[in-house]
Amino acid sequence: MERQIRRLGLAILVLFGALFVQLNYLQVVRADYLATHPRNVRTLLHDYARARGEILTADEEIVARSVPSDDQFQYQRLYPLGALFGHISGAFSFTYGASGIEGAYNDELTGKRQARELRNLGDVLSGKEHTGTVVLSIEAAAQRAAAKALAAAGGRGSVVVLDPVTGQVAALYSSPSFDPSPLAAHDQSSVRAEFEAYEADPTKPMLARSFRERFPPGSTFKVVTTSVALEAGEATLETTFPELTELDLPQTDRGLKNFGGKRCGGSLVVAFRVSCNTVFAQLGLDLGERLASGIESFG
């Protein structure tokens, strides 16, 4: 009998030991894997049932904010500027995940990054949750001006405005755009319906053309051509070019026309101001291989 009791006690100890090892393995070794697993609905619900900080423009308008709600998510994400910042803010969607700034700065908005830093004792004891605010370099006023200009020009396209000194983005707007608010709703059937409607739209409103599409550089490349020509000594600001409507291209039977068939030329300064195609095509031909090496220096 004593031998059987000893065996039973030893078996219980072994089982407790195995349980201890398994618990530590799950809670320490596999913790990150289990916490971030896509099928871990509890973690997903926890992330969506916590407050998020605001996304603000450089001129302090609210792009995104959270308000309390009476459901399992506890907070509803709102986008007061709607489609004006849709491509930038992205959407915080339980069904489709976080995109745009919502996804890129998720740790800052939920306060997870701040939580990794040392908290004071009062915050620890109170269980206070921290959130972070993301401030964009983009101004709402500049964004509205870009949207208005595109609307006046036909409503489709993209506008990007950069600060030439710092490189900061002052405006970043693509049209057509989309309102992220329906994608952040808590009724998942309506969220899916809205998403499918956006996807089925032939104008592709969810496509941010300014940074998710590839286009020929067009007239923006004249900045590079001008810089290379000035650096190489091929031209100065006062160098003059003939006024043409079309430039014959060597070794081809084709010509390069100016926009709208307009005639332009004159000094390099004037040609740059009016974006004269024939002048910069000729400048590129004059530079030859020096243009290619100059392009490389621009990355």
Side-chain angles (χ1 to χ4, degrees), residues 1-298:
M1 179 64 71
E2 290 181 1
R3 180 181 297 178
Q4 291 177 340
I5 292 174
R6 284 197 299 270
R7 288 178 178 176
L8 179 60
L10 182 60
I12 292 174
L13 287 174
V14 170
L15 291 173
F16 269 111
L19 181 61
F20 176 80
V21 171
Q22 177 69 358
L23 282 174
N24 280 274
Y25 173 71
L26 292 175
Q27 294 180 354
V28 179
V29 179
R30 300 267 288 177
D32 289 339
Y33 171 79
L34 294 172
T36 58
H37 196 284
R39 293 186 179 181
N40 188 348
V41 180
R42 292 176 65 87
T43 299
L44 197 60
L45 283 171
H46 177 265
D47 286 344
Y48 279 82
R50 62 185 299 171
R52 291 174 71 82
E54 294 180 334
I55 300 175
L56 303 176
T57 65
D59 43 359
E60 299 185 344
E61 290 198 38
I62 297 174
V63 175
R65 65 189 179 96
S66 294
V67 296
S69 63
D70 298 326
D71 55 27
Q72 63 176 336
F73 294 110
Q74 298 182 37
Y75 293 94
Q76 174 65 60
R77 198 66 167 161
L78 301 178
Y79 300 91
L81 298 181
L84 187 65
F85 278 82
H87 292 130
I88 299 169
S89 66
F92 186 63
S93 171
F94 183 80
T95 307
Y96 297 105
S99 58
I101 293 295
E102 292 279 30
Y105 288 90
N106 181 67
D107 284 357
E108 286 78 7
L109 290 167
T110 57
K112 290 180 180 178
R113 187 173 297 277
Q114 294 91 323
R116 297 189 191 109
E117 301 173 358
L118 183 63
R119 293 183 179 182
N120 61 54
L121 182 60
D123 287 350
V124 173
L125 294 176
S126 66
K128 179 182 178 181
E129 286 192 346
H130 290 262
T131 61
T133 300
V134 172
V135 181
L136 307 174
S137 64
I138 298 171
E139 300 175 1
Q143 195 80 341
R144 288 191 180 95
K148 184 178 179 180
L150 273 181
R156 298 186 66 174
S158 180
V159 174
V160 180
V161 180
L162 304 177
D163 184 322
V165 176
T166 65
Q168 286 188 333
V169 182
L172 184 72
Y173 182 73
S174 291
S175 178
S177 184
F178 75 103
D179 184 357
S181 299
L183 302 182
H186 293 174
D187 181 351
Q188 301 313 306
S189 60
S190 69
V191 169
R192 283 189 287 270
E194 290 288 345
F195 182 85
E196 290 169 3
Y198 283 144
E199 287 283 283
D201 190 331
T203 65
K204 299 181 179 179
M206 295 182 70
L207 177 63
R209 291 162 173 80
S210 54
F211 57 89
R212 289 186 56 202
E213 278 280 62
R214 291 184 176 183
F215 298 101
S219 290
T220 57
F221 205 79
K222 291 169 183 170
V223 176
V224 176
T225 306
T226 303
S227 179
V228 174
L230 293 174
E231 185 71 22
E234 181 62 39
T236 67
L237 298 180
E238 291 75 29
T239 300
T240 58
F241 297 84
E243 294 188 1
L244 304 171
T245 58
E246 183 176 352
L247 178 70
D248 290 330
L249 297 177
Q251 303 180 26
T252 75
D253 57 358
R254 303 187 64 178
L256 176 71
K257 297 180 179 181
N258 287 316
F259 181 76
K262 293 181 179 179
R263 179 180 296 273
C264 59
S267 70
L268 183 59
V269 171
V270 172
F272 189 88
R273 178 172 58 81
V274 299
S275 189
C276 186
N277 292 344
T278 55
V279 166
F280 287 93
Q282 184 61 59
L283 197 55
L285 291 171
D286 295 341
L287 283 166
E289 289 301 317
R290 290 175 296 172
L291 178 59
S293 59
I295 290 170
E296 290 180 355
S297 69
F298 277 85

